[in-house]
Amino acid sequence: MTHHPGLLRTAPLRGETTSSLICRIASRYGMEAKVLRSCWQWRNYPPGHDGGGARADAEVLLNAAGRQFLAVLCGVEEGVLARALPSWGQEDAKLSAGKNGVPAAAWRTGGTVAGPVAFGCRLCTARRTGTAVRVVQYAPRWERVCVRHGRWLLDADADQPLEYLDVRGVPEVAAAQRRWAKVARRAARAGVEPERVFALAHAVVARWWEQALSWEREVIWPRRLHQVAGGNAGTELERWRIVGRDAVVFPEVVAVADALLDPAMAELAWTDSGAGRPRPLPADGAFCRRLGERVGRGWLGPLAATDYGGPLTSWMGAVIRLRRGAGGPPGYGNDPWWLRQEHQTASMAAQLRVLSKERSAPGSGTTWRSAVPAEQRALITSLVNDAEEQLTQLRGAQYGKTADAAQQLLGNLGHAATLIEQAVRETAAAALAAGMALEDLARWVRLLADVLAEALAAHRNGRPGKER
């Protein structure tokens, strides 16, 4: 096959996906992308969404002949493409050199090739290329703000139409991106990969985000969310809470990352633990109180301190164990920056898939998440996590003096039992409100129906802020 140089030079953009570049080349020649892609032999089919439709984060791996052909089409040297396209040098077992040097290609999803994929800013693309076309680029989540145009660039792997959120009305988001460079340098000096610090801080703040529906004093995030939603999230609040989360919480993520890298904050956690005289972490501890102040919420300390079982308490526990020279519980390490799988944050794409399945279910209230308000679900999750943390602390507790062991066992077990009882009542109340029969609920919790009804009535009347 003889390849002729492209008539129109098309330079790659930094971090662009190879698939995005091919689409831009086709656009310059006035043809559909699938027509241009027919110049390669494909080993598989393009990835799509569950409901149909092509994925914007679809990526392309090329063999040597395929890369050479693309360079000819672009009118750009292969070395330039290699520096700009993260997927350029990656090979695939299905892609040999190709028979007789035939260009070959294979589809992948961008996230499996070189990390998170986001939409590029079309206005910046127009400045660079003269055409405001869609561009898809690899971009970590701390580089999602186009400061020039005030846009938060969204993940490209989700099945939703938006490419960006307008953050011109929330300048603290762009300011946080500028601060992150300093935090990343601080992490590097501490010998920690900035990516790990960001992931842990994001998990901490995303957990707060889920709990914030029940925080009456939280006013910052609702204001930001309505702003990025165009002024008012309206009846699509649950969807906007998914789409807008990363942009809305970004300033707090950077603040928490900076705080966790601060040796003075680690010292506060050590002091709260009793230092040389171990004690349970208090609800009014100095560490969480100071952390709340650093994210602009002086009232947050007790809520963060009593959120047992979350990534923040895991970080504190690891820091304290390192200072004491003690080993971690079985199955856990002492690396403060290790993010447990259960603490990893669900992506926008994953959350939107769940929301779509809930809304497409036949009939009203056929799924738990669609029938129970998000605020009530968050409360149940918090109670269960807190009870789990109390029980986790009992690993290895049956040692030492009898009085000490008995005190810790009974104290933690009693607290866990109280939390579980609260979770049972809250779950039963939610199920009853969703239309479940009282008799069924009574059978599942092993109580008489009238006893359960009385307990739920007392629970409803005694719940603060829940007048009905």
Side-chain angles (χ1 to χ4, degrees), residues 72-83:
V72 171
L73 284 176
C74 293
V76 175
E77 295 180 357
E78 288 193 47
V80 175
L81 293 171
R83 289 190 294 272

Side-chain angles (χ1 to χ4, degrees), residues 55-109:
R55 291 178 58 132
D57 69 329
E59 179 57 300
V60 172
L61 300 182
L62 306 173
N63 66 353
R67 292 193 293 270
Q68 182 182 14
F69 180 44
L70 182 59
V72 171
L73 284 176
C74 293
V76 175
E77 295 180 357
E78 288 193 47
V80 175
L81 293 171
R83 289 190 294 272
L85 306 179
S87 68
W88 182 257
Q90 298 201 30
E91 294 282 357
D92 185 270
K94 297 180 180 179
L95 296 176
S96 61
K99 289 185 178 181
N100 302 320
V102 174
W107 288 103
R108 293 291 181 270
T109 55

Side-chain angles (χ1 to χ4, degrees), residues 260-330:
L260 297 183
L261 286 166
D262 188 348
M265 293 294 290
E267 187 66 28
L268 290 178
W270 170 245
T271 302
D272 287 343
S273 72
R277 304 184 66 179
R279 66 181 182 189
L281 292 171
D284 60 347
F287 172 83
C288 287
R289 183 170 63 251
R290 180 61 183 139
L291 184 61
E293 293 169 355
R294 292 182 70 150
V295 296
R297 295 162 176 82
W299 46 266
L300 180 58
L303 296 176
T306 55
D307 181 25
Y308 305 112
L312 182 61
T313 52
S314 294
W315 180 89
M316 295 173 67
V319 168
I320 293 166
R321 289 193 297 271
L322 284 173
R323 288 289 296 268
R324 290 180 180 157

Side-chain angles (χ1 to χ4, degrees), residues 190-215:
V192 186
E193 296 175 359
E195 295 86 351
R196 300 185 69 202
V197 176
F198 185 89
L200 180 62
H202 189 272
V204 170
V205 178
R207 187 175 173 96
W208 291 347
W209 174 256
E210 294 303 319
Q211 298 168 352
L213 285 170
S214 61
W215 292 352

